Each structure stands twice: as C-alpha cells, then as structure tokens.
Amino acid sequence: MKKLILSTLFVTFAFISSCSDEARDTSTCFNGIQDGTETRVDCGGPDCAPCPTCDDGIQNGGETGIDCGGPDCAPCEGLIVKSGMLTANEKWTSNNIYQLSGKVVVDDGVTLEIEPGTIIKGQQGIGSLASALIVARGGKIMAMGTAENPIVFTSVQDNISIGQKAGTNLSELDQGLWGGVLILGYAPGSFKGDVKEVQIEGIPAGDTYGLYGGEDPEDDSGVFQYVSIRHGGALIGEGNEINGLTLGGVGTGTVINNVEVVANVDDGIEYFGGTVNTENMLVWAQGDDGLDIDQGYQGTISNSVVILGNSSDHGLEIDGPEGSSPGEFTLNNITLIGNSDTPGGEYADYRSLAMGASNNIYAYGFKDAADVELDNNGVSQKFLDGKLTFSNWEIVGFDNSIFVEKVAKDDNDEPIEEKIIVNPDFTERAAEWTTQVELGANTVGANFGDFNWTYAKGKGAF
C-alpha cells in the first residue's frame, strides 16, 4: 500500500510537470477520470507523456508480473521477450516464459534448443506484426518435450504460468490470438514453373528467411516432439492466416512427432512439399482443414487424429504437385472425428492432381451430407490411373456413399457448376475399400493412447 501511495504521488507530480493547463482542460488526462486514452488512473492522454510502464507498483499494461517487463525496464523474472533474428545458438529453459514479439527467426546455421516444459507465448498482432517462430533453411530447432512435460506455444492472453500445462481462461473457441510455427528446409517440392525454391506464404519476398525447397530430401531441420500449439492463426494478408504448424520443404532428417494444434484459425498442419515423415499428430477445432498436403509432399503421416470444431472445414485437404515432378503422399492410420454442428465439416477433399495413398482411415461423428470429394481437375484421372489409392476406410453411420462427388473447378478453386461431373460408377468402386462399422468397433485408425499427454485429451475432446 505504501508503494502504491508513493507511486501515485510520483505519477501525479510527473503529469503536473508534463501536461499543460490546456491539456488538462481537454479532459484527456489528469482529471481523475478514464477518458479512453489512459492505461491507468487518468494518464497517457494524447497531450501528455505516456503513463509509466514499470517501477510504479501498478499494472500499466506492459507487465506480466507485478509491475515489471515494461519496454523501459529489465524483463520480469521468468519473462524473456524475443524478437527478430536469432544469429547465435540459444537455449530456452522451462524456468522462463518466452514472449514472441513479432517474427522470431532461427537463422541459417543457428540452433534453438527448447527444454521440456517450456512455455512460449506469442503477442497479438496482424500482418507484419503477427508473431511467429520461423526456423529458416539451414537453421535447426531442437524442441524435445516429453509426455510429462510438453513444450507449449500459446498466446500472451493465456494465463498459463511456469510449471503448468494449461491455463484456465481460454478454450478451443479462442482462435487467431497470435501467429504460429513455421519450419522451412531444403527438401524438394513440386512448384509451379519447376523452380527449386519458393517463398512461404505470408513472408514478404524480400525476406529470404521465408524461402523453402531445394534438392536435399534428407535435409535436417532438427527435432520437434511433444509440442502443443494453441490459439494461433493470426491474419498475415488478405484472406491469409498462419497455419498452426507450417512445414515447407522439410526433409527426412527432421524428427517430428507427438504434436498437437488446437484452435488455429486456418489449417492445423500444412505440408508444402518436402519429404519429412510425421506421426502422432493431432489437430482440434481448426478453422479450415486439419491436415493439409500441397506441392508434391512425399512423406508419410501416420497414427494421427483430426477433431473438427464448430468452424472447421475438411478433416483432410490433399493437393498434388504443381510442377512436372511427381510427389506421392502416404496416410496411414488416421482418425477423423466430425462435428454435426459444423456448417462445413467434410471428411476430405482431394484436389489438383493429388497423388498418393490413404490407408486405414477411421471416421465418425460427421453430418449426413458430409462427403469425400474428388475434384475433377485431373484428380479423377489420377485415381483411374492408380496414382491415387484408397484402402481400409471404416465409417460409422455411413458407407461407400460418402465417395460420390467429383466436381470440376476453375483456377481459383471455384466450382464450374455447368461442368459438375458425377461418376455413377465411383460409389461402386468405393465399396472396395469402405466398410460401415459401429462406434468403437474399428480395426483401423489412430491409437488414442498415444495422445493422453495432449491438451485436447485434458479438455475432453475425445
């Protein structure tokens, strides 16, 4: 109380000396009333100096502890703010909370190590101010959480604190509160014009740390395991949000497993080219698609789960190569959980010359109208040629009738209504790999026991 009284006197004196009589008369500061521009009791008006942000005993908006961490102060104990390029090796430890202020980039030749149990919070912002952790080509991330102590990426609005696995004030409905995590590598992709490298979406072309792709299928970007990414997907451009986890040109030398993405505005996890194999991946309550494959991704995704939320679109969105080089994905043992209250909420969409294999898929909880869509932009021919295959799909409540639609689309991914093509033989073909089962009687799909460590499990998502 003594500190509060002294600090209040200090602030009063400061603003008597810094505000003119005319400024005081405008009722924007020093009138004892919050007029909309102040961050504490009557200060910070447009004609006055800013309110103190530290060392006054009062939370003025920049602090995460009791009056500390403001821009003009040393960090609070346990809080470390990060921004810009990391140009030397760093180790982030679980006795601190790391706050991402804008884009934090692990540069070429640099390794970022993150201890189990470490919490990383992204500041809110859109466009160029969106916060994200980006591992550039040649950089490495060694994020090695454990089931007992996962690494957590979340928002500064999350009241989770050091030593905790979850806060209490946010849920799967809270999306877009920060950006996300991007890992970029030198593995090949199939890109338009057969170029070897392209810029990841959302990063300006002049920022070379946004490049991905190359000619090294065994490229190593480090280790990323037992990591929970929550409440991301900030807007970075018109109609363009950051994915929860973006993998661009990531190679087989990279170890990625046991990762969950919760409440992301855009896709949960998107694979842009690359060869990396991932397993035990979980996406819950994403705003668009759960697992998204693009640009000739050639790896295997196994033992993974997508749980649709109230605003989700597809469980799977599968695109093929954009250049002349082929790229065939593999999906093994995937569980898709629908949401009957979701306006979209489809099983999957195979598009744009998709090539690969979708094996051992278990799905339940979808609305009656949900389907598996094969767009007729070359996808149907890939299916007929045996380049797009399906095996062992077990569906609760529905059968092979979910595989009924092939739709022609234009270059903007819009349906060409007069050219909708429905293949009457496709449903019969789908009977070869589709079985209707009772809930819980499945013999394929993911092993839910591998996801007991997740935030989703703790919140009763499955």
Side-chain angles (χ1 to χ4, degrees):
M1 178 61 73
K2 182 178 179 180
K3 184 180 180 185
L4 176 61
I5 294 171
L6 290 174
S7 61
T8 303
L9 291 174
F10 168 77
V11 173
T12 301
F13 175 77
F15 281 97
I16 288 175
S17 61
S18 64
C19 297
S20 65
D21 290 339
E22 180 181 359
R24 290 196 295 271
D25 291 340
T26 65
S27 297
T28 57
C29 63
F30 203 66
N31 66 350
I33 302 171
Q34 289 279 29
D35 298 299
T37 56
E38 305 94 331
T39 56
R40 51 153 294 172
V41 177
D42 190 37
C43 62
D47 300 312
C48 301
C51 298
T53 55
C54 61
D55 198 27
D56 67 349
I58 300 171
Q59 288 276 22
N60 296 302
E63 307 93 330
T64 57
I66 297 177
D67 189 38
C68 58
D72 300 318
C73 302
C76 299
E77 182 180 356
L79 173 70
I80 298 176
V81 179
K82 289 292 182 179
S83 63
M85 194 76 68
L86 305 184
T87 58
N89 295 345
E90 292 194 15
K91 183 176 182 178
W92 294 1
T93 55
S94 59
N95 61 324
N96 296 305
I97 287 179
Y98 294 82
Q99 187 167 303
L100 306 179
S101 177
K103 294 175 179 63
V104 178
V105 181
V106 183
D107 200 6
D108 182 11
V110 174
T111 297
L112 171 61
E113 181 182 351
I114 305 179
E115 277 189 347
T118 302
I119 297 169
I120 301 99
K121 295 187 178 184
Q123 290 184 357
Q124 193 163 13
I126 62 175
S128 62
L129 300 179
S131 59
L133 179 66
I134 304 168
V135 182
R137 291 190 304 182
K140 282 190 178 181
I141 185 167
M142 304 300 289
M144 296 179 286
T146 65
E148 295 75 23
N149 292 294
I151 294 165
V152 176
F153 286 84
T154 186
S155 161
V156 293
Q157 297 185 37
D158 192 338
N159 66 7
I160 185 175
S161 59
I162 293 171
Q164 295 181 330
K165 297 180 182 179
T168 59
N169 64 323
L170 299 179
S171 74
E172 75 278 8
L173 301 179
D174 294 292
Q175 301 176 331
L177 303 183
W178 68 291
V181 179
L182 300 87
I183 303 176
L184 309 176
Y186 283 103
S190 183
F191 310 127
K192 291 180 180 179
D194 286 337
V195 298
K196 299 298 183 183
E197 61 184 28
V198 290
Q199 188 81 352
I200 199 70
E201 56 187 35
I203 305 299
D207 294 331
T208 57
Y209 62 77
L211 288 170
Y212 66 98
E215 299 182 296
D216 183 6
E218 298 179 356
D219 188 43
D220 180 2
S221 297
V223 178
F224 200 74
Q225 60 186 16
Y226 288 103
V227 178
S228 179
I229 303 171
R230 308 168 190 170
H231 313 298
L235 185 72
I236 54 177
E238 185 65 30
N240 185 11
E241 296 88 11
I242 299 177
N243 303 307
L245 176 61
T246 297
L247 303 174
V250 179
T252 57
T254 311
V255 176
I256 300 179
N257 57 57
N258 295 287
V259 177
E260 74 165 341
V261 175
V262 175
N264 200 77
V265 171
D266 197 28
D267 299 328
I269 304 170
E270 185 157 7
Y271 302 74
F272 292 95
T275 57
V276 65
N277 302 312
T278 67
E279 63 179 342
N280 302 351
M281 314 295 276
L282 183 146
V283 177
W284 176 33
Q286 79 283 359
D288 195 4
D289 306 307
L291 300 174
D292 195 327
I293 291 172
D294 206 349
Q295 296 178 327
Y297 167 67
Q298 301 177 58
T300 297
I301 305 170
S302 59
N303 197 57
S304 296
V305 177
V306 177
I307 308 168
L308 301 191
N310 292 336
S311 60
S312 300
D313 193 6
H314 297 90
L316 306 173
E317 182 174 285
I318 314 296
D319 288 83
E322 295 179 355
S324 61
S325 59
E328 298 188 19
F329 68 89
T330 302
L331 297 175
N332 283 333
N333 291 304
I334 309 297
T335 293
L336 307 175
I337 304 176
N339 186 325
S340 58
D341 296 328
T342 305
E346 307 286 354
Y347 295 91
D349 189 5
Y350 292 80
R351 325 181 316 165
S352 306
L353 303 176
M355 294 186 286
S358 299
N359 308 318
N360 303 326
I361 312 297
Y362 173 51
Y364 65 91
F366 285 82
K367 61 185 181 181
D368 292 357
D371 61 27
V372 177
E373 180 179 327
L374 269 71
D375 294 347
N376 195 41
N377 284 21
V379 177
S380 57
Q381 191 60 49
K382 294 299 180 184
F383 170 72
L384 295 173
D385 292 344
K387 294 292 186 179
L388 179 64
T389 64
F390 304 88
S391 68
N392 299 326
W393 283 57
E394 296 183 354
I395 313 297
V396 175
F398 302 96
D399 53 21
N400 50 297
S401 62
I402 65 172
F403 290 87
V404 296
E405 188 174 343
K406 296 190 294 182
V407 181
K409 294 188 177 182
D410 62 23
D411 292 338
N412 295 318
D413 197 36
E414 295 297 327
I416 305 173
E417 298 297 341
E418 67 272 18
K419 293 185 179 180
I420 291 178
I421 301 171
V422 177
N423 185 342
D425 298 327
F426 186 64
T427 298
E428 295 182 12
R429 289 285 301 275
E432 299 172 8
W433 65 78
T434 308
T435 304
Q436 188 177 35
V437 298
E438 296 296 324
L439 183 65
N442 56 301
T443 61
V444 300
N447 177 8
F448 277 104
D450 292 321
F451 301 95
N452 287 333
W453 66 274
T454 61
Y455 174 89
K457 172 65 174 179
K459 293 296 183 178
F462 61 90

